[in-house]
Amino acid sequence: YTPKVQQTAVPLSKSLVKIQKDDKWELTGSNGLFETSRIYQQINHFSEGLARVKMNDNWGFIDTSGQPV
């Protein structure tokens, strides 16, 4: 038996899309290439060039290139 993985894609900006796989999130470019290998518990939408993210039960921010700030 192989469990089915639920996936959802949500645009964050012109260049980034967040991909949900079950209860975790990853970032990919609009070109389909992964921008980072980091796995997030939550990724919020961008405001003034930053998005709030949750990773390992800690909150922080990423910029529009997907890099932590």
Side-chain angles (χ1 to χ4, degrees), residues 6 20-25 39-42:
Q6 296 291 326
Q20 182 179 20
K21 293 182 181 180
D22 292 326
D23 62 343
K24 303 294 181 195
W25 293 89
I39 305 296
Y40 297 99
Q41 293 167 285
Q42 187 173 339

Side-chain angles (χ1 to χ4, degrees), residues 12-13 15 20-21 23 29 32 36-37 39 42 47 60 62:
L12 284 179
S13 68
S15 60
Q20 182 179 20
K21 293 182 181 180
D23 62 343
T36 177
S37 61
I39 305 296
Q42 187 173 339
S47 175
I62 57 171

Side-chain angles (χ1 to χ4, degrees), residues 15-45:
S15 60
L16 287 176
V17 175
K18 64 180 181 177
I19 305 292
Q20 182 179 20
K21 293 182 181 180
D22 292 326
D23 62 343
K24 303 294 181 195
W25 293 89
E26 297 177 79
L27 288 175
T28 184
S30 56
N31 59 4
L33 300 176
F34 282 95
E35 298 295 318
T36 177
S37 61
R38 288 181 280 287
I39 305 296
Y40 297 99
Q41 293 167 285
Q42 187 173 339
I43 304 173
N44 294 340
H45 288 282

